Amino acid sequence: MSPHIDHLTKHKNSISSLSSKLNKSWITTTVFSFVFFILLLGASIGWMDLFLLAGGRIKLTPIFTRNTFLTIPKNTLTTPLNFTLQCSLDKNITTQTCPASYPEKWNPKDDPETCPDYFRWIHKDLEPWRETGITRETLERGSDKAHFRLIIKGGRVYVHRYMRSFQTRDVFTIWGILQLLRMYPGQVPDLELLFQCHDLPQIWRRDYRPRRGVNVTWPPPPLFHYCGHDGALDIVFPDWSFWGWPEINIKEWNKLSKAISEGIKKVKWEERKPYAYWKGNPGVARIRRDLMRCHDPMIHLIHQNWKREGRIGFRTSNLANQCTHRYKIYIEGRAWSVSEKYILACDSMSLLIKPFYFDFITRSLVPLEHYWPIRLHQKCEDIIFAVQWGNNNTKKAKTIGRNGSGYVLKNLQMKHVYDYMFHILQSYGKLMKMNVEVPEGAKEVCPETMACPVKGGRMRQYMDDSLILSPSNKGSCEMPPPFEEDELKKFLEKKKSVEKEVEKWTNEYWEEQKKSLQH
């Protein structure tokens, strides 16, 4: 008899009786599909740094030669069907400039579809500035928290860098925004935004609540970031890894999502290992180190040492090869983790340890529909029960896994990612009550200034792989309306009710375990 069958047999009586009880209580959760870059270039006047994966740097001369304060004339151009990188082949030219022949307008032929419901969160995220708009004074109050300022003016992009980000987060964020402009030429309005690339949000509600004896200025400064929190006001934006994370060999999402889709076909769900699985770096957060103390045959935990992995060529960290367990654990790091979309996409029943941070899509996930909720402070017991429950309710567990995977792979297609970026920037631009200016020290950036100087390596490969080669034949999807107050309240109450029901099941299971040990 195999070890896992032997282990399951130990709990057979209690789990069988509880399973019968749970089958009656099983909640068929209505599917709520609510809803809901920027390449870091150096800001020094004479030079720009780009990270190279070998650990060194390359020095680039200034990334533009034209006067950025001149008005850019509108050219009458015939929009090409595709436009590749226009890298200079002249070795005597040391400065890569931005081509003047980018298409300035594109009229898509197909009627747009309706955006996924998670786009509705855009209305919520921009709510603090709905009445007042965004003035110059409001924007500037956030500059000390930003890694860079990005300006879009006349279809051109300029970056003023304030501080370095971790690895190449800012580089691939800026790169993603440049691809958006290639996808929808002439559609993104003139705007200025501030972006911060740390793990944690920076604009906290508590700092902007009226308090006795404290002068509070409202609205808060708008600051774009990768994740949000119920207690924060950062504007949530797609993270850099959609265009690749070269430092740890994670490919751009379009290619990686297809690889994961193929990977989940290698092992049928019923034939996967009937355990919970997590592989990651526990050193970044105490809650992850606590998880590593869950010693049970039902839980398989692996410490991912990225330095060692890099030395062996990332042979054991291919995400497309990690869909071999029935259950996969998601746990936050310092804040939200980019691993969430990879875990959900795996077709396994995802066990989400109570997250406090969210990205632009996960607020619309529904427990027992897309994932199984796990309490933070009872994580070991909750995970063990989730595995026991799933192995005794395989069809339901498999359905939860399929729903989560389907939700991510369908709603996170790159077209939707770009459409989300488009709509949040367009809505943000409409709130601006200020003249858009290119500040002194800002540099014009384009795919050529970012990619052409990078000769080989994963960074250049990921840029090439994610380069938009032609404007979209489809327009951006149509924005759904904002949440009605009662509608959002009911949705959040429903999620909380399902979580409470799962807690009840888990507590009943462990009570029965205690009783069985006493006899």
Side-chain angles (χ1 to χ4, degrees):
M1 183 176 290
S2 66
H4 71 265
I5 296 297
D6 190 45
H7 187 82
L8 289 175
T9 303
K10 293 166 61 179
H11 301 284
K12 181 176 181 182
N13 293 334
S14 60
I15 194 67
S16 296
S17 63
L18 184 61
S19 178
S20 175
K21 191 183 301 181
L22 299 189
N23 283 332
K24 297 177 182 178
S25 304
W26 171 257
I27 297 174
T28 304
T29 308
T30 303
V31 179
F32 289 88
S33 297
F34 279 106
V35 145
F36 238 108
F37 174 152
I38 341 207
L39 343 131
L40 138 171
L41 279 266
S44 68
I45 293 177
W47 297 89
M48 173 184 74
D49 293 326
L50 270 179
F51 288 99
L52 285 184
L53 302 190
R57 301 181 185 280
I58 56 173
K59 292 286 188 177
L60 305 182
T61 47
I63 54 180
F64 65 99
T65 54
R66 63 177 59 84
N67 184 343
T68 60
F69 299 94
L70 293 176
T71 301
I72 301 173
K74 290 289 184 182
N75 297 323
T76 54
L77 300 173
T78 302
T79 305
L81 292 178
N82 65 67
F83 44 107
T84 56
L85 288 177
Q86 301 178 44
C87 298
S88 172
L89 299 177
D90 190 341
K91 294 181 179 180
N92 294 322
I93 298 177
T94 58
T95 303
Q96 178 68 52
T97 57
C98 295
S101 58
Y102 275 148
E104 294 183 350
K105 193 169 181 60
W106 181 255
N107 295 316
K109 300 176 182 178
D110 296 341
D111 293 331
E113 60 182 354
T114 301
C115 303
D117 274 356
Y118 68 84
F119 280 58
R120 302 174 80 182
W121 293 102
I122 290 175
H123 302 290
K124 196 72 177 171
D125 287 349
L126 296 177
E127 201 170 63
W129 304 276
R130 194 70 63 194
E131 293 183 5
T132 63
I134 298 170
T135 64
R136 171 67 59 188
E137 184 275 335
T138 300
L139 181 69
E140 296 305 330
R141 282 191 281 112
S143 60
D144 62 332
K145 296 178 173 64
H147 283 84
F148 61 85
R149 180 190 302 262
L150 184 134
I151 305 100
I152 299 175
K153 188 169 185 178
R156 300 273 173 170
V157 179
Y158 306 85
V159 172
H160 190 184
R161 178 188 176 196
Y162 296 118
M163 56 180 166
R164 293 187 185 281
S165 74
F166 178 67
Q167 295 181 337
T168 50
R169 290 184 181 187
D170 50 356
V171 171
F172 280 92
T173 303
I174 296 169
W175 177 261
I177 292 177
L178 291 177
Q179 303 318 304
L180 171 66
L181 269 62
R182 288 167 71 92
M183 190 165 188
Y184 296 128
Q187 302 300 307
V188 181
D190 289 0
L191 57 83
E192 290 182 49
L193 64 81
L194 297 172
F195 207 109
Q196 75 98 357
C197 305
H198 286 313
D199 290 325
L200 293 167
Q202 297 293 308
I203 309 297
W204 295 96
R205 291 180 187 273
R206 61 176 179 264
D207 297 330
Y208 297 92
R209 290 180 182 141
R211 302 187 300 281
R212 183 180 299 176
V214 178
N215 184 20
V216 176
T217 302
W218 183 266
L223 187 65
F224 284 76
H225 184 224
Y226 306 122
C227 74
H229 184 282
D230 287 342
L233 295 168
D234 297 52
I235 301 172
V236 183
F237 197 79
D239 71 86
W240 75 95
S241 68
F242 282 99
W243 296 273
W245 191 350
E247 289 84 356
I248 58 173
N249 198 41
I250 291 181
K251 297 176 176 62
E252 54 93 15
W253 176 242
N254 193 49
K255 181 174 286 188
L256 181 54
S257 62
K258 291 177 182 177
I260 292 176
S261 296
E262 292 301 313
I264 61 180
K265 299 175 184 177
K266 294 178 180 178
V267 183
K268 293 181 180 179
W269 196 91
E270 294 80 4
E271 296 174 2
R272 295 184 185 184
K273 298 173 184 176
Y275 312 117
Y277 174 85
W278 181 78
K279 184 174 185 177
N281 178 9
V284 299
R286 187 178 68 180
I287 58 173
R288 289 189 173 187
R289 292 190 289 275
D290 289 343
L291 175 65
M292 298 300 288
R293 299 188 183 99
C294 294
H295 302 298
D296 189 275
M298 295 286 97
I299 307 174
H300 291 186
L301 306 172
I302 300 175
H303 181 170
Q304 177 71 75
N305 185 324
W306 284 112
K307 289 184 177 179
R308 177 186 176 278
E309 190 66 20
R311 288 196 296 269
I312 64 172
F314 300 98
R315 290 199 305 269
T316 66
S317 58
N318 186 343
L319 295 170
N321 294 335
Q322 294 183 27
C323 302
T324 56
H325 289 68
R326 291 182 183 178
Y327 316 97
K328 293 199 70 174
I329 299 168
Y330 169 75
I331 185 168
E332 293 179 331
R334 293 188 183 93
W336 146 92
S337 169
V338 300
S339 65
E340 190 165 17
K341 58 181 173 289
Y342 310 129
I343 290 169
L344 285 163
C346 230
D347 214 24
S348 305
M349 186 171 85
S350 297
L351 312 180
L352 265 61
I353 297 175
K354 183 66 176 179
F356 293 95
Y357 302 89
F358 48 79
D359 64 7
F360 69 105
I361 187 174
T362 51
R363 281 174 284 189
S364 290
L365 295 174
V366 180
L368 291 191
E369 178 69 33
H370 304 113
Y371 67 92
W372 183 282
I374 301 293
R375 290 173 291 185
L376 178 64
H377 298 297
Q378 293 86 18
K379 62 178 78 67
C380 300
E381 295 85 352
D382 283 12
I383 292 171
I384 293 169
F385 170 68
V387 172
Q388 297 281 15
W389 180 91
N391 288 337
N392 282 271
N393 296 272
T394 53
K395 288 184 178 179
K396 293 173 182 176
K398 181 179 179 180
T399 297
I400 295 173
R402 286 280 164 85
N403 288 342
S405 178
Y407 185 84
V408 167
L409 294 174
K410 177 183 177 182
N411 292 312
L412 270 186
Q413 296 174 38
M414 283 305 297
K415 172 68 164 60
H416 286 144
V417 176
Y418 283 121
D419 283 0
Y420 191 94
M421 295 162 62
F422 172 77
H423 281 296
I424 199 165
L425 292 181
Q426 188 176 69
S427 299
Y428 172 84
K430 291 177 180 178
L431 296 173
M432 304 212 84
K433 294 186 175 180
M434 50 180 267
N435 293 324
V436 175
E437 301 172 354
V438 180
E440 184 178 355
K443 309 292 184 181
E444 183 179 3
V445 296
C446 60
E448 281 75 12
T449 61
M450 296 200 70
C452 294
V454 182
K455 308 301 182 184
R458 284 191 296 275
M459 176 183 282
R460 178 58 187 268
Q461 183 63 56
Y462 294 172
M463 288 180 172
D464 288 343
D465 289 345
S466 59
L467 181 69
I468 295 295
L469 293 174
S470 64
S472 175
N473 287 326
K474 287 186 176 182
S476 60
C477 60
E478 293 183 350
M479 271 285 284
F483 293 112
E484 296 292 338
E485 203 59 43
D486 287 346
E487 181 185 20
L488 181 57
K489 182 180 178 182
K490 288 178 181 178
F491 172 66
L492 297 176
E493 287 176 348
K494 181 70 172 180
K495 292 180 71 171
K496 191 170 293 186
S497 173
V498 175
E499 290 175 354
K500 289 292 184 183
E501 188 73 9
V502 174
E503 287 180 20
K504 178 184 174 184
W505 299 351
T506 309
N507 292 338
E508 288 176 354
Y509 168 75
W510 287 110
E511 283 298 320
E512 292 194 20
Q513 289 297 300
K514 289 179 182 178
K515 290 178 183 178
S516 66
L517 291 175
Q518 292 171 358
H519 291 83

